[in-house]
Amino acid sequence: FDYQYLMISPELMNSSSAKDMIIIENLISMAQKVGFEVICAEPDNEEIAKKAYSYGCNIFQGDIFDKPLSERFFKKRLTDLDS
C-alpha cells in the first residue's frame, strides 16, 4: 500500500477516556514510525489540539483555526501574510 496520511477522527480525539488516549498516542506513534503524516481532524478546542500535538500529531484540520475560505480569500490571506 502507498498511504501517506492517517487521519484521527474527532470522536477519538475528543474522548476523555484515559484508555482511549493511550490507544491514540500509540496509534500516532506507530503511524509516524512507518512514515505517515498524522492529521488531527476537527479538534473541538485548543486544549485537544495541544494534546494531539503533544502526541506527535503535526497536521490539523478544523474550524477552530479558521472558517472555510473561498480560494480568492485564501490567496488574499496568504498575500497579506507575506506583507
Side-chain angles (χ1 to χ4, degrees):
F1 300 103
D2 189 28
Y3 298 109
Q4 297 176 350
Y5 300 95
L6 173 70
M7 183 174 287
I8 305 294
S9 75
E11 294 81 14
L12 287 174
M13 282 311 306
N14 296 331
S15 173
S16 59
S17 163
K19 288 181 181 180
D20 288 350
M21 293 298 103
I22 291 169
I23 292 169
I24 293 165
E25 184 175 12
N26 284 288
L27 182 61
I28 291 170
S29 176
M30 289 188 310
Q32 290 176 329
K33 286 178 182 176
V34 296
F36 286 18
E37 294 285 342
V38 181
I39 302 168
C40 176
E42 300 292 335
D44 280 350
N45 56 51
E46 191 174 332
E47 179 183 329
I48 291 171
K50 285 180 179 179
K51 181 173 24 175
Y53 182 78
S54 76
Y55 293 164
C57 190
N58 53 3
I59 301 174
F60 297 85
Q61 170 189 336
D63 292 346
I64 69 163
F65 304 105
D66 204 345
K67 63 182 183 199
L69 301 172
S70 69
E71 181 180 0
R72 186 176 118 228
F73 285 111
F74 181 74
K75 286 180 179 179
K76 182 181 181 325
R77 176 147 318 150
L78 288 178
T79 303
D80 292 347
L81 287 174
D82 288 339
S83 301

